[in-house]
Amino acid sequence: MKGTFDKRLKSILIKRLILTQEKADEAQNLSTQEQKSYGEVLMEKGYVKEPDLISSIALEMNIPPIDVEKVAPDDKAIQTLTQENAQYYGVLPIARIGNILTLAVSNPFDILKLDNIRLITDCDIRPVVSTEQSIRKAITKAYNPGEEEMNTILDKMIGGEADLEFKKESEEEEDKIDLSEISEETGDSPIIKLVNMIIFNALRDSASDIHIEPFEKRTRVRYRRDGVLIETLTPPKKMHSALVSRIKIMAQLDIAERRIPQDGKFQMRYENRQVDFRVSILPSVHGEKIVMRILDSSSLATSLDTLGFEPEVLNAIRKAINAAYGMLLVTGPTGSGKSTTLYSCVREVLCPEDNIVTVEDPVEYQLEGVIQVPVSVKKGMTFAAALRSILRQDPDTIMIGEIRDQETADIAVKAAITGHLVLSTLHTNDAASTITRLIDMGIDQFMVASSVILVLAQRLARKLCENCKEPFTPPRERLLDIGYLESDLENMTIFKPVGCSRCVNGYKGRFALVEALEVDEEMKKMIIAGASAIDMKSYAINKRHMMTLRRCALMNCKRGKTSIEEVLRMTMD
């Protein structure tokens, strides 16, 4: 098909007296020898100007020409065709109105290609003409808007990574950088600008983590938004070492050490507030991988009411944190919002009459009126060591960032049964498993039964975008299979994600799914008797009407808050 197009293009240009026969033949030979497109060779040699090439094809086919470099494709059109397909076919979606997709093409004679795109997009195609080079350049700009800014930075670099110098002064000045003014900076080195740009874009997009990952031939930058990683930039591999070095300087880590993991932290100013970053560097086959956790206090919930808990769960939490003593545990995987829930609980009980102390690794958010103790294993300040000292500080409420070992668990349990309210986290799959986990860690069954008053199992599910979600009707049998009851199906509307310019793949924001296990007298007897997690969960569901994670997710799906796919992704039967 390419050969046919080249011949057709050659004929059109000669007929319109834009190209002589001699130059047309010469360009055709060069195209074959150099494995380049005919149009590309013509423009490289200066035989034809781009506007003349586009207008000639447009007039011949009676198709409008377009300058893709001056047109901003709309988001709806971009979402119609993936970047991979756009690059494969060499086309760019420009606009979509209803079922009509305006598509920039360089070869409007290729009917088979247009038919394939019609099938992929399920749209009627309205072609407009541009050159292949312009289209491929515009594809990168349209699908990766941040990459153009990165390329501008790269263009200013002279030589490779050996030309880059990192000065101590840059580290000391880091706290003074205002990322909202990043575009106005002109004096910093290109690598500093690139790192700042990566951080700025992450904060602008409300990302929770930044991943900078080395591979054999490229470096990949991804942001975690609403719990899902999304690729954003692909800097050249030769820049990776310089990126790592810059971030190590910011986090006060050893630049020369590349064989062992390192952890650090730094702060940057963004929109007149300080944002904390936790940095983890891990050596891999192709270089060091960097993960930066973004700790933005402005995103921290101010009260339990703003977390979106079910009413019965909220009542159980308030009952537990207002108890005279005992332990409240929040469980779940990393990134499930456990710390946010604990901080909100601390805010709820915070008052001038109480002494509240926390021990954390690290201290993620600073709370006014709370004494916060950071763990430092290198200096001997472990969770257990800190707790022993805290108990001599006359505390009323103690928050422990995480119970990791038997010693910490033992001290926490003893504190909970000696007149202190203890809040902490643990890594288990559900609420009932937390009880057996403590016993497996070596804590006496009677001590567990006497100390634990409430266990929360938590997940964060993505919210459907209110702007673009669409109703649909899944098979009734499917709904029953995933856990809905017959009574749930009456007058129920299920929504699915679509995707628009305001969201990420049909989702925007997250909310908490919580399973609350209250330890009542009967549950205490079961714990002392050595009941299994399955038996305790069955009792909580059947006798205490506990709402499981799956049930909580299904109810939110029924309300139109999330999708069936998200329910299945985040919960188990």
Side-chain angles (χ1 to χ4, degrees):
M1 186 63 70
K2 176 181 178 297
T4 303
F5 173 63
D6 288 350
K7 291 178 181 177
R8 189 80 178 267
L9 179 59
K10 176 182 175 181
S11 174
I12 293 170
L13 294 173
I14 293 173
K15 182 176 72 173
R16 294 187 177 276
L17 304 178
I18 295 174
L19 196 63
T20 65
Q21 184 70 50
E22 181 182 357
K23 288 183 177 180
D25 293 339
E26 182 185 344
Q28 191 171 27
N29 292 332
L30 288 172
S31 173
T32 304
Q33 292 170 9
E34 299 178 7
Q35 296 295 306
K36 293 181 179 179
S37 70
Y38 187 58
E40 185 178 358
V41 171
L42 288 173
M43 287 188 291
E44 281 183 358
K45 289 293 182 181
Y47 295 163
V48 178
K49 294 181 180 179
E50 183 172 330
D52 293 334
L53 185 64
I54 295 173
S55 62
S56 297
I57 300 172
L59 289 170
E60 182 72 18
M61 295 291 295
N62 195 25
I63 294 174
I66 188 171
D67 186 346
V68 291
E69 294 183 8
K70 296 180 180 179
V71 174
D74 67 44
D75 292 334
K76 196 171 184 180
I78 290 297
Q79 291 163 5
T80 304
L81 195 67
T82 66
Q83 183 177 2
E84 290 75 16
N85 281 330
Q87 289 173 335
Y88 177 76
Y89 290 107
V91 298
L92 178 67
I94 300 296
R96 180 176 176 179
I97 301 175
N99 203 40
I100 300 175
L101 178 65
T102 301
L103 195 72
V105 299
S106 61
N107 180 5
F109 307 110
D110 194 341
I111 305 301
L112 293 178
K113 177 170 68 177
L114 296 179
D115 284 342
N116 287 342
I117 297 171
R118 188 177 292 109
L119 290 172
I120 292 170
T121 60
D122 194 26
C123 290
D124 293 329
I125 304 301
R126 176 181 176 267
V128 291
V129 180
S130 186
T131 62
E132 183 179 354
Q133 298 92 319
S134 296
I135 289 174
R136 294 201 178 278
K137 183 178 178 181
I139 289 172
T140 300
K141 181 180 177 182
Y143 286 91
N144 301 289
E147 195 162 324
E148 184 181 25
E149 186 176 355
M150 184 190 72
N151 289 334
T152 302
I153 293 172
L154 299 183
D155 289 340
K156 297 179 181 179
M157 296 186 66
I158 301 174
E161 51 198 16
D163 296 318
L164 301 171
E165 294 182 4
F166 297 91
K167 298 181 180 179
K168 191 68 177 177
E169 291 77 24
S170 298
E171 175 191 353
E172 294 170 354
E173 294 172 358
E174 199 59 54
D175 283 349
K176 301 177 183 177
I177 293 176
D178 189 337
L179 287 173
S180 62
E181 300 174 359
I182 200 170
S183 60
E184 298 176 10
E185 295 180 0
T186 56
D188 290 338
S189 77
I191 279 293
I192 293 177
K193 283 193 171 184
L194 178 56
V195 171
N196 288 346
M197 187 194 75
I198 290 171
I199 293 172
F200 169 74
N201 288 341
L203 291 170
R204 182 196 60 193
D205 295 342
S206 301
S208 61
D209 299 87
I210 303 170
H211 291 237
I212 302 176
E213 302 163 316
F215 295 97
E216 184 178 3
K217 297 180 179 179
R218 68 185 182 114
T219 292
R220 177 174 69 181
V221 178
R222 294 192 292 174
Y223 297 154
R224 188 177 292 279
R225 294 180 60 191
D226 294 335
V228 179
L229 284 170
I230 300 169
E231 185 170 342
T232 57
L233 300 175
T234 54
K237 181 62 187 292
K238 68 178 183 179
M239 293 185 65
H240 186 78
S241 295
L243 281 170
V244 173
S245 296
R246 171 59 184 164
I247 292 170
K248 281 183 177 180
I249 286 176
M250 294 165 67
Q252 298 184 353
L253 300 176
D254 186 353
I255 298 177
E257 182 55 73
R258 301 183 179 182
R259 298 167 296 176
I260 61 173
Q262 297 189 67
D263 297 302
K265 60 183 179 180
F266 65 91
Q267 285 187 336
M268 295 192 87
R269 183 173 295 279
Y270 176 68
E271 293 183 347
N272 296 320
R273 66 178 187 270
Q274 290 288 346
V275 180
D276 295 293
F277 293 81
R278 282 200 338 237
V279 179
S280 173
I281 297 181
L282 179 69
S284 69
V285 174
H286 299 295
E288 294 172 284
K289 174 179 175 176
I290 302 171
V291 175
M292 291 185 278
R293 169 64 61 88
I294 301 172
L295 304 172
D296 188 354
S297 58
S298 67
S299 64
L300 186 64
T302 55
S303 72
L304 289 169
D305 294 310
T306 62
L307 297 180
F309 291 153
E310 299 291 327
E312 53 267 38
V313 172
L314 196 56
N315 291 336
I317 294 174
R318 288 207 162 103
K319 179 182 175 182
I321 62 179
N322 287 314
Y325 61 89
M327 180 183 290
L328 183 155
L329 294 170
V330 185
T331 77
T334 301
S336 59
K338 301 187 297 296
S339 295
T340 299
T341 299
L342 286 187
Y343 278 118
S344 296
C345 289
V346 169
R347 285 181 183 274
E348 189 91 1
V349 300
L350 185 60
C351 65
E353 292 79 18
D354 284 348
N355 177 22
I356 302 176
V357 186
T358 75
V359 51
E360 306 169 61
D361 183 22
V363 174
E364 295 188 2
Y365 303 104
Q366 296 183 20
L367 300 177
E368 181 67 28
V370 178
I371 302 301
Q372 296 174 270
V373 180
V375 166
S376 177
V377 177
K378 291 181 180 178
K379 298 177 181 179
M381 180 64 86
T382 62
F383 276 109
L387 277 174
R388 288 194 197 93
S389 180
I390 287 170
L391 289 173
R392 294 191 289 270
Q393 292 280 319
D394 186 31
D396 295 293
T397 300
I398 303 170
M399 188 186 101
I400 307 169
E402 183 182 349
I403 294 177
R404 297 177 180 174
D405 52 54
Q406 191 272 338
E407 188 178 13
T408 304
D410 185 60
I411 298 172
V413 166
K414 288 177 180 176
I417 61 177
T418 56
H420 305 90
L421 177 64
V422 178
L423 313 175
S424 189
T425 69
L426 203 64
H427 286 286
T428 57
N429 291 326
D430 58 18
S433 299
T434 305
I435 303 295
T436 55
R437 176 65 59 83
L438 285 173
I439 296 171
D440 292 341
M441 292 174 75
I443 308 302
D444 183 77
Q445 293 165 336
F446 177 79
M447 297 284 282
V448 174
S450 301
S451 59
V452 179
I453 55 178
L454 179 67
V455 182
L456 305 176
Q458 183 167 310
R459 302 289 187 276
L460 289 180
R462 292 180 293 172
K463 293 180 184 178
L464 284 170
C465 175
E466 294 294 333
N467 184 59
C468 65
K469 67 180 183 181
E470 290 183 355
F472 83 113
T473 306
R476 186 182 184 87
E477 296 75 15
R478 177 59 174 156
L479 294 175
L480 295 173
D481 284 344
I482 65 174
Y484 278 112
L485 304 176
E486 285 284 355
S487 57
D488 295 330
L489 304 184
E490 298 178 7
N491 301 320
M492 184 169 73
T493 302
I494 299 293
F495 290 86
K496 65 178 180 179
V498 177
C500 67
S501 59
R502 301 182 186 178
C503 66
V504 179
N505 299 325
Y507 297 95
K508 185 177 182 180
R510 291 190 291 176
F511 67 99
L513 303 174
V514 181
E515 176 180 288
L517 177 73
E518 296 184 79
V519 180
D520 59 9
E521 292 301 320
E522 185 61 31
M523 181 71 73
K524 290 180 180 180
K525 293 177 183 178
M526 294 179 70
I527 295 171
I528 295 171
S532 67
I534 295 175
D535 291 337
M536 285 187 279
K537 184 173 183 177
S538 178
Y539 166 78
I541 294 171
N542 297 323
K543 301 297 184 180
R544 299 285 300 177
H545 306 293
M546 180 183 77
M547 182 179 286
T548 64
L549 285 168
R550 171 57 67 88
R551 183 67 180 165
C552 182
L554 289 172
M555 290 300 97
N556 280 285
C557 182
K558 182 179 179 180
R559 296 166 189 150
K561 199 170 183 178
T562 192
S563 66
I564 288 178
E565 292 82 3
E566 191 69 1
V567 169
L568 299 176
R569 187 177 77 92
M570 297 305 303
T571 65
M572 298 177 64
D573 291 332

